[in-house]
Amino acid sequence: LMGTYFEAQCAPLHELLLAAKHTVEQASDRPRIDVLSVDAEGAEIDIFRNFPFDAWDVRTIVVETSRRSSMAIDSLLLPHGFVKIAVLGKDGVYVSRTVLSL
């Protein structure tokens, strides 16, 4: 629809997850996220650039990438202990090394 738009409030991913954490009882200091899927129309690098990976036990990340962003996403996730295991269409699939060693 041409000319149609909407406004949305945005917040850092960490803040959104903290808000959700309060709705679920978590016994751990590092709440577990089995699958984190991010498709933010080109903002994926900004989302992960300052994400506090040490505060969350993220097991798997599925993130939309492009030719321009794929290597940048790799450079953000691989040093935090993720392994790229697949590319499905435009989506990169990353799994935590801790899951692979289970």
Side-chain angles (χ1 to χ4, degrees):
L1 300 168
M2 293 191 106
T4 303
Y5 70 94
F6 67 94
E7 291 184 24
Q9 291 184 339
C10 297
L13 179 59
H14 178 65
E15 289 180 19
L16 295 172
L17 292 172
L18 283 174
K21 175 185 168 192
H22 295 297
T23 64
V24 177
E25 277 191 40
Q26 292 277 344
S28 171
D29 289 338
R30 294 182 64 223
R32 185 167 125 183
I33 300 171
D34 290 317
V35 178
L36 177 62
S37 179
V38 177
D39 179 351
E41 302 306 318
E44 293 81 4
I45 294 168
D46 292 329
I47 288 170
F48 288 114
R49 182 174 287 129
N50 295 311
F51 185 76
F53 288 96
D54 57 335
W56 300 92
D57 179 11
V58 181
R59 302 294 178 97
T60 304
I61 297 175
V62 179
V63 59
E64 184 181 50
T65 61
S66 65
R67 287 185 191 134
R68 287 189 344 229
S69 68
S70 181
M71 288 179 61
I73 294 292
D74 285 353
S75 71
L76 292 169
L77 298 181
L78 300 181
H80 288 285
F82 288 91
V83 176
K84 188 181 218 176
I85 62 164
V87 177
L88 306 172
K90 291 182 175 183
D91 295 338
V93 181
Y94 300 82
V95 175
S96 171
R97 288 185 194 280
T98 58
V99 172
L100 294 175
S101 65
L102 293 178

